[in-house]
Amino acid sequence: MNKGLLIALTCFVSATAVAQEKSYEFGLSNSVSNPQRGTVTNWLLEQQRKSPVSQQSELPAQLYVDSQRRIGDTFKSGIPESLQERANSMKKAGN
């Protein structure tokens, strides 16, 4: 009889502990015992959001135009089937 009562009491206590698992009234919650630290990326993005907007562009106009021209030039040639084909075409262009 005592073993049955002990098993029933153990099951009851375990069930109530599982049911109240998310209650952190007494003790440490997950946010205290396992704090989440912000990443460097989040910190940098937050700094960028807080900084005032500049009145002029960060890139010189000529640099922007040159980079857009180079990007456009990459689309003029076809996509090679393999790296070897790309290397061979680079050799032919260099000669």
Side-chain angles (χ1 to χ4, degrees):
M1 178 80 173
N2 287 338
K3 285 184 181 181
L5 183 60
L6 184 61
I7 291 172
L9 184 61
T10 305
C11 290
F12 178 73
V13 171
S14 298
T16 57
V18 169
Q20 295 177 354
E21 185 177 326
K22 299 260 186 221
S23 175
Y24 298 115
E25 295 173 17
F26 306 104
L28 298 176
S29 68
N30 191 34
S31 63
V32 175
S33 63
N34 189 14
Q36 301 295 320
R37 290 188 169 84
T39 63
V40 174
T41 305
N42 286 339
W43 181 80
L44 289 171
L45 288 173
E46 187 63 31
Q47 295 299 315
Q48 186 176 7
R49 279 191 287 274
K50 290 179 181 178
S51 67
V53 178
S54 65
Q55 298 301 321
Q56 61 185 20
S57 174
E58 295 178 4
L59 291 175
Q62 189 58 44
L63 179 63
Y64 178 77
V65 170
D66 290 343
S67 64
Q68 293 298 312
R69 185 175 297 127
R70 284 193 300 272
I71 291 170
D73 290 344
T74 61
F75 291 105
K76 290 180 182 175
S77 61
I79 299 173
E81 291 294 323
S82 67
L83 290 176
Q84 185 61 43
E85 186 180 324
R86 174 74 176 164
N88 291 340
S89 67
M90 297 282 283
K91 285 180 186 176
K92 291 177 185 176
N95 287 336

